Amino acid sequence: YNRMKYLIPSLYSLALFRIVLGISVLYNLIFVKLPYIEEFYGKNTIIPKSLMIEMNGEQSFSILNVIQSDGFAYLLMLFTIAAALSFTLGYKTKLVGFISLFGYWSFLQAGSKFAFGFDFYTIHVLFWAVFLPLDNHFSVSKISRKECAMPSLAFSMALLIQITCVYFFTGLAKYGITWQEGTAITAML
């Protein structure tokens, strides 16, 4: 444990990590998903819900597939945005982190064929972030309490390994012949 103690991130860097993650989640929810909420997540979507469920797989559960309503989609979006804003400000980060994760996951699962790599990366990082003490500095919660909990080495290592794996396997996936010849972008277009 003493040899690996240097891998535990500082509390200031964890607070900065929380703020950057929260801003990126808010940006994605407000500017990427919210303008198209009725088209992709409401009752009468561009692609019928039954076809989306078949494309995503039966095991990809989303509450938006169960409750198919434009009003509920807007309500879930506003609830998720409020939770992400509270997460960014550092107010009860564990609770609102789980709420943000649930809302973000619901939107991701309802339209995973329209998701970017950023969406999957955000889900992984938000999951591990829920277990870290992210509200020790630069947070609304810190105003009322004085003690600082140190992050767990296990969860810090899990987050670092997760980020490393994402970049490593993305690098492996982009090592094919089309990437070496420079024709990968042409093939995607």
Side-chain angles (χ1 to χ4, degrees), residues 127-166:
F127 174 77
W128 289 111
V130 169
F131 298 104
L132 293 171
L134 302 177
D135 60 347
N136 283 329
H137 294 289
F138 313 126
S139 70
V140 176
S141 297
K142 181 61 180 162
I143 295 170
S144 63
R145 61 187 167 91
K146 302 291 182 231
E147 78 281 351
C148 288
M150 287 302 292
S152 165
L153 177 63
F155 288 118
S156 300
M157 288 295 296
L159 179 63
L160 291 173
I161 289 170
Q162 181 74 44
I163 292 171
T164 304
C165 287
V166 166

Side-chain angles (χ1 to χ4, degrees), residues 2 11 16 21 44 46 48-49 64 71 81 90 96 98 103 123 125 134 139 147 151 173 178 184 187-188:
N2 287 333
L11 297 175
L16 184 62
L21 177 62
N44 298 318
I46 293 173
K49 289 280 186 181
L64 291 165
I81 288 172
V96 296
F98 274 116
I123 285 291
V125 172
L134 302 177
S139 70
E147 78 281 351
T178 57
M188 287 189 311

Side-chain angles (χ1 to χ4, degrees), residues 55-93:
M55 284 179 7
N56 293 336
E58 296 292 328
Q59 69 278 6
S60 66
F61 172 77
S62 172
I63 196 164
L64 291 165
N65 292 338
V66 176
I67 304 172
Q68 299 177 3
S69 164
D70 290 344
F72 180 74
Y74 277 112
L75 185 66
L76 182 63
M77 177 63 75
L78 291 177
F79 197 62
T80 306
I81 288 172
L85 182 63
S86 296
F87 181 80
T88 305
L89 295 175
Y91 180 71
K92 298 189 183 273
T93 56

